Amino acid sequence: MTQVAALAAGRSYKETLLEALDLRPGQTALDVGCGPGTDLGGLAAGVGESGRVIGVDQDPAMLAEAANRMADRPWVELRDGDAHALPVADGSVDRAHIDRVLMHVADPAEVLAELRRVARPGCVIGLAEPDWDTLVVDSDDLETSRAFTRYTTEVAVRNATIGRRLPRLAEAAGFTVDAVTATTPVFRDAGLADKILGLGRNTRRAIDAGYMDESRGRAWFASLSEGPFVASSTLFTVVARA
């Protein structure tokens, strides 16, 4: 998560999403699936010491890292909880943020319904999710590249096309969608892409699952580090209000 945030495209969409939230001093901001606290600092700066930031995650290691990062900002409160049953009171949040979390959850619609429950009237929410169906990896072996994308969307990621579905799901949950944008992070470093996209891990799993021929799959993965590397996928961001 931190590595994606450090990419130029990652910094760009995060800055745009934070600006769209229009944070004000004294507000209560919620980060659902806050992870290691990558975005908590920006939220904390926006609401100031007179406000409050609530970060929710169910991974103890992530919460511990977030607590360490936010130790000097006592107005940031971390809560152990499930996004499907947020440990947050009804109508208590002025701003809310979900970044690359809905692709992992069991029921994105239920999470957005929970977000609507905790939102005050006029609450602004910012959502960012990838659409893994748009994942492309450059290779002369186009068939194997496409097989890798199929494996990613059909097996590796629980809600692989959540990005494109965000506006529809947000409106179904009772929000009014104000803006929809799409960006395309481009990976030029095969080693970094391996860490973020799981190229090596998922190639092995795709072979085991029958999505790729073993010899071609291994040769495809080996070839990615031999020359100029390019991979990309589309990231959708949505800004909506209660």
Side-chain angles (χ1 to χ4, degrees):
M1 295 174 70
T2 301
Q3 288 173 319
V4 171
L7 295 172
R11 292 194 304 271
S12 177
Y13 91 81
K14 282 182 174 292
E15 290 168 1
T16 300
L17 197 59
L18 187 64
E19 182 179 348
L21 285 177
D22 190 26
L23 295 160
R24 308 288 179 85
Q27 290 180 331
T28 295
L30 171 66
D31 191 7
V32 179
C34 65
T38 304
D39 301 309
L40 292 175
L43 297 174
V47 304
E49 296 184 33
S50 61
R52 180 170 62 154
V53 176
I54 303 170
V56 176
D57 206 286
Q58 60 181 0
D59 186 324
M62 292 289 186
L63 288 172
E65 177 61 23
N68 182 57
R69 294 184 180 186
M70 297 294 111
D72 61 342
R73 280 157 276 199
W75 63 98
V76 177
E77 178 185 349
L78 299 171
R79 299 182 183 178
D80 182 0
D82 185 342
H84 300 83
L86 292 170
V88 181
D90 294 0
S92 61
V93 171
D94 301 295
R95 299 290 187 268
H97 173 272
I98 302 180
D99 185 352
R100 292 170 295 141
V101 171
L102 295 178
M103 65 176 177
H104 300 301
V105 303
D107 190 340
E110 185 177 338
V111 173
L112 289 174
E114 270 292 277
L115 199 60
R116 185 63 184 85
R117 174 185 67 79
V118 305
R120 287 193 177 113
C123 173
V124 178
I125 67 167
L127 310 171
E129 297 290 339
D131 189 320
W132 290 105
D133 212 24
T134 65
L135 173 64
V136 294
V137 181
D138 177 49
S139 170
D140 288 335
D141 188 348
L142 184 58
E143 182 180 340
T144 301
S145 289
R146 287 172 170 164
F148 182 83
T149 297
R150 286 197 304 274
Y151 174 79
T152 301
T153 58
E154 295 175 8
V155 179
V157 180
R158 175 178 264 170
N159 303 305
T161 59
I162 186 64
R164 73 182 74 168
R165 297 165 56 203
L166 286 176
R168 175 163 48 88
L169 292 176
E171 291 194 348
F175 293 101
T176 298
V177 173
D178 291 331
V180 181
T181 59
T183 57
T184 307
V186 177
F187 300 90
R188 298 294 305 277
D189 183 310
L192 180 59
D194 188 19
K195 293 179 181 178
I196 295 173
L197 302 176
L199 289 177
R201 177 183 67 251
N202 285 334
T203 297
R204 291 191 297 273
R205 292 175 177 175
I207 291 170
D208 291 342
Y211 280 77
M212 297 179 182
D213 172 79
E214 182 168 2
S215 61
R216 285 182 63 177
R218 292 183 182 281
W220 175 82
F221 177 71
S223 71
L224 297 181
S225 61
E226 293 176 355
F229 176 85
V230 174
S232 69
S233 63
T234 300
L235 181 83
F236 286 88
T237 59
V238 167
V239 178
R241 53 190 164 81

